Amino acid sequence: MTKPLDIVFFGLSLSSSWGNGHATTFRALIRGLNKAGHRVLFLERDTPWYASRRDLPAPDFCDLVHYDDPLAITQKYASRLREADAVIIGSYVPDGVAVVDAVNALGPKRFCFYDIDTPVTMAKLDRHEEDYLAARQICLFDIYFSFTGGETLKRLERHYGARKAAALYCSVDAERYQSSAQPIRWDLGYLGTYSPDRQPKLEELLIEPARQLPHMHFVVAGPQYPETIIWPDNVERIDHLPPEDHPEFYSRQRFTLNVTRADMVAAGWSPSVRLFEAAACGTPIISDYWRGLSELLPEDEAVIIAQGTAGVVKALTGIDETKRTAISTAAKSRIVNDHTGETRAAELEAYLDGISPRRSGTARRANLTQTRENDYADTKSTY
């Protein structure tokens, strides 16, 4: 595009990274948009659990507005929403169904959805749970941007009626995520909010190796872990780690662990922002397996794919410093070349450039016939 864009986001959170991976994803993307000269307004519901834990209350790369009433905010910013080059609604926005309907009624020029939880969203829709997105709304969007790529994109179009589905992976701010060059403190660490479906993998790939390697040091950072969990003595716990402390945290690990939610594993092609952050900091990654990982980071060249507890123990005790450095260097090269906020912003700009803007004020009506159950039957077996 020849002129700077005006983009409005409705997102779960930009101001607080507590208990969610949305904030860091939005920050890297919007910083990239800002560096390219684009104007961004981010609208965030004012929720008490984020309000008390804001680590970015006043970003210098966009305008951030908190609101209480989703319908009132769409009316307050009605003119901006109509005239903006694009309005993008994120997943898990509180009262998201009402927000989507209200914005669509204003007739934005380009209307998009950014799903940072695509497999979770699809599983919810299949259970007829529509707390932040209704199935009837998917065809309203010009593009359905998905955190997940691969075959999921075809399923979004064929079964759910998306006009166009495109992968827009998370990214990393490479200027902020670099090695702190501090001494190694932990042999293996993990950063992530507690999730019941991830916990068995964390037990298998970090807690049990810690029991078997009592002379080594481990760390788990993230909130909401139940007090009933019994941590080995050599596992340090950090309740919450703000993004500005992530680079030092990764830099002080010999290896970092990536554990993926079950819905993401089933879908494949769902890289976590933690993969990108750790790689940018030069920390080699031990990860569980999911389809598409080796396309992003080739196995044994840029990532170690864990084969149970024994595989983690083998990696921690058998990989020498030369191999460890080679793995981290290969991963960092791939991530800083292809997965920064700047590259993701350029991808978003290119996608938006391919959409012919609607006349401002023209709402789009849902066409439920675009959802075809027989197409779903064709794709279900490969999901």
Side-chain angles (χ1 to χ4, degrees):
M1 290 187 175
T2 57
K3 67 178 183 66
L5 296 174
D6 180 17
I7 302 174
V8 180
F9 286 91
F10 277 88
L12 174 65
S13 182
L14 183 73
S15 67
S16 175
S17 64
W18 183 83
N20 75 89
H22 290 231
T24 50
T25 296
F26 280 125
R27 291 174 192 180
L29 173 62
I30 297 173
R31 280 193 175 104
L33 291 168
N34 176 257
K35 288 179 181 178
H38 304 304
R39 178 189 182 199
V40 173
L41 169 64
F42 193 96
L43 300 173
E44 175 182 334
R45 185 71 170 266
D46 193 8
T47 57
W49 48 92
Y50 292 145
S52 61
R53 300 177 175 90
R54 286 179 180 144
D55 42 38
L56 188 67
D60 60 3
F61 50 85
C62 72
D63 295 322
L64 170 62
V65 173
H66 294 95
Y67 64 90
D68 295 312
D69 185 331
L71 299 183
I73 196 68
T74 57
Q75 292 307 307
K76 180 178 180 179
Y77 285 91
S79 178
R80 179 79 178 269
L81 292 166
R82 289 191 190 99
E83 298 303 324
D85 294 293
V87 179
I88 302 175
I89 313 290
S91 52
Y92 270 97
V93 168
D95 296 312
V97 173
V99 171
V100 171
D101 283 340
V103 173
N104 180 64
L106 295 172
K109 292 179 181 177
R110 297 175 179 86
F111 194 27
C112 306
F113 190 77
Y114 188 15
D115 200 337
I116 301 176
D117 310 275
T118 309
V120 176
T121 301
M122 295 166 73
K124 281 178 171 290
L125 293 176
D126 289 344
R127 296 192 299 268
H128 305 289
E129 297 175 9
E130 299 184 332
D131 47 344
Y132 59 85
L133 179 69
R136 63 174 173 79
Q137 295 174 322
I138 293 177
C139 62
L140 299 176
F141 301 108
D142 295 293
I143 297 185
Y144 191 113
F145 292 115
S146 172
F147 181 91
T148 298
E151 61 206 30
T152 294
L153 302 177
K154 292 182 179 179
R155 189 169 181 236
L156 282 166
E157 294 174 349
R158 293 175 178 174
H159 173 49
Y160 295 97
R163 293 173 180 270
K164 178 179 176 60
L168 193 69
Y169 294 127
C170 55
S171 58
V172 64
D173 187 332
E175 292 182 2
R176 286 170 171 77
Y177 284 83
Q178 299 182 23
S179 173
S180 66
Q182 292 179 282
I184 297 294
R185 177 173 177 175
W186 303 290
D187 294 285
L188 180 66
Y190 173 73
L191 174 59
T193 301
Y194 172 77
S195 174
D197 67 333
R198 275 195 302 238
Q199 192 59 25
K201 281 285 186 70
L202 187 62
E203 291 273 352
E204 178 186 16
L205 303 180
L206 187 144
I207 295 176
E208 183 55 33
R211 293 191 183 104
Q212 296 185 20
L213 301 169
H215 60 290
M216 290 189 177
H217 303 281
F218 300 77
V219 62
V220 173
Q224 302 180 30
Y225 284 85
E227 294 183 1
T228 53
I229 296 176
I230 300 175
W231 302 97
D233 292 340
N234 58 338
V235 177
E236 185 176 342
R237 274 285 293 126
I238 301 172
D239 183 62
H240 174 62
L241 203 68
E244 60 265 25
D245 294 336
H246 289 186
E248 179 182 342
F249 177 73
Y250 288 119
S251 299
R252 304 202 70 181
Q253 301 171 46
R254 275 206 306 133
F255 296 89
T256 198
L257 178 67
N258 178 70
V259 178
T260 311
R261 293 192 62 179
D263 287 331
M264 306 293 187
V265 171
W269 290 274
S270 299
S272 164
V273 68
R274 305 303 179 219
L275 278 173
F276 296 157
E277 291 179 351
C281 291
T283 304
I285 300 160
I286 299 175
S287 179
D288 56 350
Y289 170 78
W290 39 268
R291 288 171 300 150
L293 174 57
S294 292
E295 295 177 16
L296 177 74
L297 298 172
E299 183 177 2
D300 293 332
E301 174 187 332
V303 69
I304 300 158
I305 296 180
Q307 302 296 331
T309 299
V312 175
V313 170
K314 181 180 179 181
L316 294 179
T317 58
I319 295 179
D320 61 25
E321 188 61 19
T322 299
K323 178 65 173 177
R324 191 185 77 88
T325 301
I327 292 171
S328 65
T329 300
K332 181 173 183 177
S333 176
R334 283 176 170 263
I335 297 308
V336 300
N337 285 331
D338 299 325
H339 299 284
T340 64
E342 289 91 335
T343 56
R344 206 65 76 236
E347 291 173 5
L348 176 60
E349 180 182 341
Y351 281 126
L352 295 178
D353 191 31
I355 302 172
S356 297
R358 285 179 269 173
R359 181 171 58 84
S360 180
T362 304
R364 174 166 281 163
R365 299 177 64 181
N367 180 6
L368 298 183
T369 61
Q370 289 185 346
T371 299
R372 300 191 294 273
E373 288 298 331
N374 46 342
D375 279 335
Y376 167 59
D378 291 341
T379 59
K380 184 176 181 180
S381 63
T382 61
Y383 176 63

